[in-house]
Amino acid sequence: MVWFIVGACVLALVVLALFLTLLRFNQLSMARSLCDEAKRQLLVELRGRHALVPAYIGTLQQVTTQDLSSVELALASAERAPFGPRGAAAESALTRAVDDAAQIPSQIGDRAIATDSSLAMQASPSEELDTTISLLHGQLNVLTDRILSGARIYNTNVDLYHRQRERVVSRLFQNVFKAREPFTEAQPQQTFTEAQPQQQSGAQDQSGPAGS
């Protein structure tokens, strides 16, 4: 009778362990799927913006002779950058380049008016091109907002997924459920050897006036 009770308890523990293991496996699988789906949607928005930038550059080239290579280089870098911190940094650089280029038509018009008001109409871009540039820039801004929103959703899912992976039972499946790279710019971290001389110089600066 005693052995029967012990055997039943052991069997119950084994069944419970299997149940918890399967439950954790399903939770990890669901968390990974959420990350992959968020990444897929984010990539759609990124590719949509990359496809629109050439039309934006082409329209700007019709109204200015200024060098737009910075936008072209930013686009090329964003298209080549791997998904992750490097990709996020490249997308931020592309956003800045696009916003800077959007100021070119107004700068041309201001310079033309300042030079000679009688030549303002000849020097300034046509209203059609101005409208097209504004519309394209507006569409790019909408895509940028979607990218930022998609990146937040993706990074939130990645954070939750990584927390799931760090739990005790989840460590059994770490070779199956690989880590996902967040889509955020890597923040430069100051090393201890770089920070120490600065702290020492700061302490000397503070002690100098006190001694005098």
Side-chain angles (χ1 to χ4, degrees), residues 132-148:
T132 303
I133 292 172
S134 298
L135 289 174
L136 288 172
H137 187 240
Q139 292 176 11
L140 288 170
N141 284 336
V142 170
L143 288 171
T144 299
D145 291 339
R146 291 179 180 175
I147 289 170
L148 292 174

Side-chain angles (χ1 to χ4, degrees), residues 42-116:
L42 179 56
L43 287 174
V44 169
E45 302 297 345
L46 291 173
R47 289 166 183 163
R49 184 165 79 153
H50 295 168
L52 189 60
V53 171
Y56 180 68
I57 295 174
T59 307
L60 283 171
Q61 287 174 339
Q62 298 181 45
V63 301
T64 181
T65 57
Q66 292 188 28
D67 186 15
L68 298 174
S69 60
S70 59
V71 185
E72 295 172 345
L73 289 174
L75 174 61
S77 298
E79 290 176 333
R80 292 195 305 265
F83 189 88
R86 289 176 58 187
E91 292 298 332
S92 296
L94 178 59
T95 299
R96 291 191 295 269
V98 167
D99 290 340
D100 291 342
Q103 306 300 321
I104 292 176
S106 60
Q107 293 173 358
I108 294 175
D110 293 342
R111 283 199 299 267
I113 293 174
T115 303
D116 190 347

Side-chain angles (χ1 to χ4, degrees), residues 21-39 153-154 156-165 167 170 173 176-178 180:
T21 302
L22 290 174
L23 179 63
R24 177 60 61 202
F25 184 91
N26 290 333
Q27 289 175 341
L28 284 170
S29 180
M30 182 178 296
R32 183 180 62 180
S33 297
L34 289 174
C35 291
D36 293 342
E37 177 61 21
K39 179 180 178 179
I153 294 173
Y154 171 76
T156 299
N157 287 328
V158 168
D159 184 58
L160 294 174
Y161 173 60
H162 287 169
R163 290 181 184 178
Q164 294 276 2
R165 290 181 74 251
R167 295 185 179 179
S170 301
F173 309 111
V176 177
F177 297 97
K178 303 294 184 180
R180 292 292 186 267

